[in-house]
Amino acid sequence: MDITVFHRDFKTQLLVIRTAGLLFSPKVFLNGVQLVRGNGGYSVHNDAGFDVTIELKTKLFNPIPTVKIDGEDVHLASSAGWVKTASLSRAG
C-alpha cells in the first residue's frame, strides 16, 4: 500500500511511503523514484533545495512505519487503522 506524505517541505514534490510487507521493509519514493537509504535515513532535497533527512521506524506487526522528516514526526495513519481497513475490505 502506498501512502502519500503531505508535508510543508514537499508541497511541489510527490513523497510516497510504501508500507512494509511480510518479506520486505518499507520504501520511500520521491517523484516516482525509489530512494536509497544512507546512514540514519534517506537524504533528499526539499522544495527549497535544502537537504532533509527522512527516517522510517518500523514496529512489529504494523506495516505502516513511523516517519520523521528532519526530526519532526509526520502522522501517516493511526497504528491500528490499517487493521480496521483490512477487516472492512475483507468483509465487503
Side-chain angles (χ1 to χ4, degrees):
M1 172 173 62
D2 290 352
I3 301 172
T4 302
V5 178
F6 298 100
H7 191 267
R8 67 177 175 276
D9 286 346
F10 296 96
K11 288 183 179 178
T12 62
Q13 300 183 71
L14 179 62
L15 181 62
V16 175
I17 305 296
R18 182 165 292 158
T19 58
L22 187 59
L23 300 175
F24 56 90
S25 61
K27 296 175 180 18
V28 179
F29 293 86
L30 185 62
N31 299 324
V33 178
Q34 183 177 345
L35 301 178
V36 179
R37 186 180 174 104
N39 292 339
Y42 303 86
S43 181
V44 297
H45 295 292
N46 64 9
D47 291 345
F50 296 110
D51 283 333
V52 174
T53 301
I54 299 172
E55 300 174 50
L56 299 181
K57 304 286 184 188
T58 58
K59 294 180 183 176
L60 193 60
F61 301 117
N62 188 356
I64 300 174
T66 302
V67 178
K68 286 189 176 193
I69 298 178
D70 263 357
E72 176 189 347
D73 289 332
V74 177
H75 182 72
L76 295 180
S78 66
S79 59
W82 69 273
V83 174
K84 293 176 191 172
T85 303
S87 298
L88 290 174
S89 65
R90 290 183 67 199

PDB file of all heavy atoms in Angstrom, residues 35-54:
ATOM      1  N   LEU A  35      14.150   5.921  -3.303  1.00  0.00           N
ATOM      2  CA  LEU A  35      15.343   6.478  -2.669  1.00  0.00           C
ATOM      3  C   LEU A  35      16.182   5.374  -2.042  1.00  0.00           C
ATOM      4  O   LEU A  35      15.658   4.343  -1.629  1.00  0.00           O
ATOM      5  CB  LEU A  35      14.939   7.489  -1.598  1.00  0.00           C
ATOM      6  CG  LEU A  35      14.097   8.672  -2.079  1.00  0.00           C
ATOM      7  CD1 LEU A  35      13.724   9.561  -0.901  1.00  0.00           C
ATOM      8  CD2 LEU A  35      14.838   9.469  -3.138  1.00  0.00           C
ATOM      9  N   VAL A  36      17.487   5.625  -1.976  1.00  0.00           N
ATOM     10  CA  VAL A  36      18.416   4.680  -1.379  1.00  0.00           C
ATOM     11  C   VAL A  36      18.710   5.128   0.040  1.00  0.00           C
ATOM     12  O   VAL A  36      19.039   6.303   0.277  1.00  0.00           O
ATOM     13  CB  VAL A  36      19.723   4.608  -2.202  1.00  0.00           C
ATOM     14  CG1 VAL A  36      20.702   3.653  -1.565  1.00  0.00           C
ATOM     15  CG2 VAL A  36      19.420   4.197  -3.629  1.00  0.00           C
ATOM     16  N   ARG A  37      18.629   4.193   0.963  1.00  0.00           N
ATOM     17  CA  ARG A  37      18.855   4.503   2.373  1.00  0.00           C
ATOM     18  C   ARG A  37      20.346   4.683   2.636  1.00  0.00           C
ATOM     19  O   ARG A  37      21.160   3.877   2.216  1.00  0.00           O
ATOM     20  CB  ARG A  37      18.297   3.384   3.247  1.00  0.00           C
ATOM     21  CG  ARG A  37      18.365   3.694   4.712  1.00  0.00           C
ATOM     22  CD  ARG A  37      17.778   2.527   5.520  1.00  0.00           C
ATOM     23  NE  ARG A  37      17.980   2.771   6.911  1.00  0.00           N
ATOM     24  CZ  ARG A  37      17.034   3.176   7.741  1.00  0.00           C
ATOM     25  NH1 ARG A  37      15.820   3.358   7.285  1.00  0.00           N
ATOM     26  NH2 ARG A  37      17.297   3.377   9.000  1.00  0.00           N
ATOM     27  N   GLY A  38      20.670   5.745   3.349  1.00  0.00           N
ATOM     28  CA  GLY A  38      22.045   6.000   3.753  1.00  0.00           C
ATOM     29  C   GLY A  38      22.180   5.860   5.252  1.00  0.00           C
ATOM     30  O   GLY A  38      21.341   5.236   5.902  1.00  0.00           O
ATOM     31  N   ASN A  39      23.213   6.429   5.805  1.00  0.00           N
ATOM     32  CA  ASN A  39      23.411   6.386   7.260  1.00  0.00           C
ATOM     33  C   ASN A  39      22.326   7.196   7.956  1.00  0.00           C
ATOM     34  O   ASN A  39      22.227   8.397   7.777  1.00  0.00           O
ATOM     35  CB  ASN A  39      24.780   6.945   7.638  1.00  0.00           C
ATOM     36  CG  ASN A  39      25.895   6.043   7.170  1.00  0.00           C
ATOM     37  OD1 ASN A  39      25.669   4.864   6.929  1.00  0.00           O
ATOM     38  ND2 ASN A  39      27.086   6.588   7.026  1.00  0.00           N
ATOM     39  N   GLY A  40      21.483   6.529   8.723  1.00  0.00           N
ATOM     40  CA  GLY A  40      20.465   7.219   9.513  1.00  0.00           C
ATOM     41  C   GLY A  40      19.180   7.522   8.788  1.00  0.00           C
ATOM     42  O   GLY A  40      18.261   8.068   9.367  1.00  0.00           O
ATOM     43  N   GLY A  41      19.086   7.250   7.505  1.00  0.00           N
ATOM     44  CA  GLY A  41      17.840   7.515   6.805  1.00  0.00           C
ATOM     45  C   GLY A  41      18.064   7.867   5.352  1.00  0.00           C
ATOM     46  O   GLY A  41      19.079   7.523   4.749  1.00  0.00           O
ATOM     47  N   TYR A  42      17.101   8.577   4.799  1.00  0.00           N
ATOM     48  CA  TYR A  42      17.127   8.967   3.392  1.00  0.00           C
ATOM     49  C   TYR A  42      17.403  10.459   3.317  1.00  0.00           C
ATOM     50  O   TYR A  42      16.689  11.258   3.911  1.00  0.00           O
ATOM     51  CB  TYR A  42      15.789   8.657   2.730  1.00  0.00           C
ATOM     52  CG  TYR A  42      15.381   7.214   2.837  1.00  0.00           C
ATOM     53  CD1 TYR A  42      14.687   6.752   3.955  1.00  0.00           C
ATOM     54  CD2 TYR A  42      15.697   6.310   1.841  1.00  0.00           C
ATOM     55  CE1 TYR A  42      14.306   5.423   4.062  1.00  0.00           C
ATOM     56  CE2 TYR A  42      15.328   4.975   1.938  1.00  0.00           C
ATOM     57  CZ  TYR A  42      14.638   4.541   3.051  1.00  0.00           C
ATOM     58  OH  TYR A  42      14.272   3.228   3.159  1.00  0.00           O
ATOM     59  N   SER A  43      18.409  10.862   2.574  1.00  0.00           N
ATOM     60  CA  SER A  43      18.747  12.274   2.430  1.00  0.00           C
ATOM     61  C   SER A  43      18.238  12.766   1.083  1.00  0.00           C
ATOM     62  O   SER A  43      18.596  12.218   0.034  1.00  0.00           O
ATOM     63  CB  SER A  43      20.259  12.467   2.531  1.00  0.00           C
ATOM     64  OG  SER A  43      20.588  13.836   2.424  1.00  0.00           O
ATOM     65  N   VAL A  44      17.359  13.772   1.121  1.00  0.00           N
ATOM     66  CA  VAL A  44      16.758  14.310  -0.101  1.00  0.00           C
ATOM     67  C   VAL A  44      16.762  15.835  -0.039  1.00  0.00           C
ATOM     68  O   VAL A  44      17.009  16.429   1.008  1.00  0.00           O
ATOM     69  CB  VAL A  44      15.314  13.804  -0.292  1.00  0.00           C
ATOM     70  CG1 VAL A  44      15.278  12.310  -0.464  1.00  0.00           C
ATOM     71  CG2 VAL A  44      14.425  14.229   0.845  1.00  0.00           C
ATOM     72  N   HIS A  45      16.455  16.451  -1.180  1.00  0.00           N
ATOM     73  CA  HIS A  45      16.312  17.908  -1.233  1.00  0.00           C
ATOM     74  C   HIS A  45      14.830  18.249  -1.132  1.00  0.00           C
ATOM     75  O   HIS A  45      14.005  17.670  -1.836  1.00  0.00           O
ATOM     76  CB  HIS A  45      16.871  18.474  -2.541  1.00  0.00           C
ATOM     77  CG  HIS A  45      18.343  18.300  -2.691  1.00  0.00           C
ATOM     78  ND1 HIS A  45      19.252  18.960  -1.900  1.00  0.00           N
ATOM     79  CD2 HIS A  45      19.068  17.545  -3.531  1.00  0.00           C
ATOM     80  CE1 HIS A  45      20.471  18.622  -2.253  1.00  0.00           C
ATOM     81  NE2 HIS A  45      20.393  17.744  -3.242  1.00  0.00           N
ATOM     82  N   ASN A  46      14.512  19.217  -0.263  1.00  0.00           N
ATOM     83  CA  ASN A  46      13.117  19.648  -0.148  1.00  0.00           C
ATOM     84  C   ASN A  46      12.809  20.662  -1.249  1.00  0.00           C
ATOM     85  O   ASN A  46      13.632  20.894  -2.140  1.00  0.00           O
ATOM     86  CB  ASN A  46      12.826  20.201   1.254  1.00  0.00           C
ATOM     87  CG  ASN A  46      13.620  21.446   1.576  1.00  0.00           C
ATOM     88  OD1 ASN A  46      14.287  22.027   0.726  1.00  0.00           O
ATOM     89  ND2 ASN A  46      13.556  21.869   2.817  1.00  0.00           N
ATOM     90  N   ASP A  47      11.632  21.272  -1.208  1.00  0.00           N
ATOM     91  CA  ASP A  47      11.219  22.234  -2.234  1.00  0.00           C
ATOM     92  C   ASP A  47      12.151  23.438  -2.326  1.00  0.00           C
ATOM     93  O   ASP A  47      12.339  23.997  -3.401  1.00  0.00           O
ATOM     94  CB  ASP A  47       9.796  22.726  -1.960  1.00  0.00           C
ATOM     95  CG  ASP A  47       8.765  21.638  -2.166  1.00  0.00           C
ATOM     96  OD1 ASP A  47       9.099  20.604  -2.776  1.00  0.00           O
ATOM     97  OD2 ASP A  47       7.621  21.820  -1.702  1.00  0.00           O
ATOM     98  N   ALA A  48      12.746  23.836  -1.212  1.00  0.00           N
ATOM     99  CA  ALA A  48      13.637  24.991  -1.186  1.00  0.00           C
ATOM    100  C   ALA A  48      15.069  24.630  -1.592  1.00  0.00           C
ATOM    101  O   ALA A  48      15.923  25.500  -1.697  1.00  0.00           O
ATOM    102  CB  ALA A  48      13.645  25.615   0.204  1.00  0.00           C
ATOM    103  N   GLY A  49      15.353  23.336  -1.794  1.00  0.00           N
ATOM    104  CA  GLY A  49      16.678  22.906  -2.208  1.00  0.00           C
ATOM    105  C   GLY A  49      17.608  22.533  -1.069  1.00  0.00           C
ATOM    106  O   GLY A  49      18.779  22.254  -1.298  1.00  0.00           O
ATOM    107  N   PHE A  50      17.094  22.523   0.157  1.00  0.00           N
ATOM    108  CA  PHE A  50      17.912  22.162   1.313  1.00  0.00           C
ATOM    109  C   PHE A  50      17.863  20.656   1.550  1.00  0.00           C
ATOM    110  O   PHE A  50      16.859  20.000   1.262  1.00  0.00           O
ATOM    111  CB  PHE A  50      17.427  22.891   2.572  1.00  0.00           C
ATOM    112  CG  PHE A  50      17.570  24.383   2.489  1.00  0.00           C
ATOM    113  CD1 PHE A  50      16.449  25.184   2.384  1.00  0.00           C
ATOM    114  CD2 PHE A  50      18.823  24.979   2.509  1.00  0.00           C
ATOM    115  CE1 PHE A  50      16.571  26.561   2.300  1.00  0.00           C
ATOM    116  CE2 PHE A  50      18.952  26.353   2.428  1.00  0.00           C
ATOM    117  CZ  PHE A  50      17.830  27.153   2.311  1.00  0.00           C
ATOM    118  N   ASP A  51      18.958  20.117   2.102  1.00  0.00           N
ATOM    119  CA  ASP A  51      18.993  18.700   2.443  1.00  0.00           C
ATOM    120  C   ASP A  51      18.089  18.418   3.633  1.00  0.00           C
ATOM    121  O   ASP A  51      18.126  19.130   4.635  1.00  0.00           O
ATOM    122  CB  ASP A  51      20.415  18.247   2.791  1.00  0.00           C
ATOM    123  CG  ASP A  51      21.276  18.061   1.557  1.00  0.00           C
ATOM    124  OD1 ASP A  51      20.718  17.768   0.493  1.00  0.00           O
ATOM    125  OD2 ASP A  51      22.500  18.204   1.671  1.00  0.00           O
ATOM    126  N   VAL A  52      17.286  17.380   3.509  1.00  0.00           N
ATOM    127  CA  VAL A  52      16.361  16.949   4.549  1.00  0.00           C
ATOM    128  C   VAL A  52      16.568  15.456   4.750  1.00  0.00           C
ATOM    129  O   VAL A  52      16.772  14.719   3.788  1.00  0.00           O
ATOM    130  CB  VAL A  52      14.896  17.235   4.120  1.00  0.00           C
ATOM    131  CG1 VAL A  52      13.914  16.677   5.119  1.00  0.00           C
ATOM    132  CG2 VAL A  52      14.670  18.713   3.936  1.00  0.00           C
ATOM    133  N   THR A  53      16.521  15.012   6.002  1.00  0.00           N
ATOM    134  CA  THR A  53      16.657  13.592   6.301  1.00  0.00           C
ATOM    135  C   THR A  53      15.294  13.006   6.641  1.00  0.00           C
ATOM    136  O   THR A  53      14.572  13.539   7.482  1.00  0.00           O
ATOM    137  CB  THR A  53      17.620  13.364   7.477  1.00  0.00           C
ATOM    138  OG1 THR A  53      18.887  13.922   7.143  1.00  0.00           O
ATOM    139  CG2 THR A  53      17.785  11.890   7.775  1.00  0.00           C
ATOM    140  N   ILE A  54      14.959  11.907   5.985  1.00  0.00           N
ATOM    141  CA  ILE A  54      13.716  11.195   6.240  1.00  0.00           C
ATOM    142  C   ILE A  54      14.083   9.885   6.923  1.00  0.00           C
ATOM    143  O   ILE A  54      14.889   9.116   6.407  1.00  0.00           O
ATOM    144  CB  ILE A  54      12.943  10.918   4.946  1.00  0.00           C
ATOM    145  CG1 ILE A  54      12.587  12.234   4.258  1.00  0.00           C
ATOM    146  CG2 ILE A  54      11.690  10.096   5.233  1.00  0.00           C
ATOM    147  CD1 ILE A  54      11.989  12.056   2.884  1.00  0.00           C
TER     148      ILE A  54
END
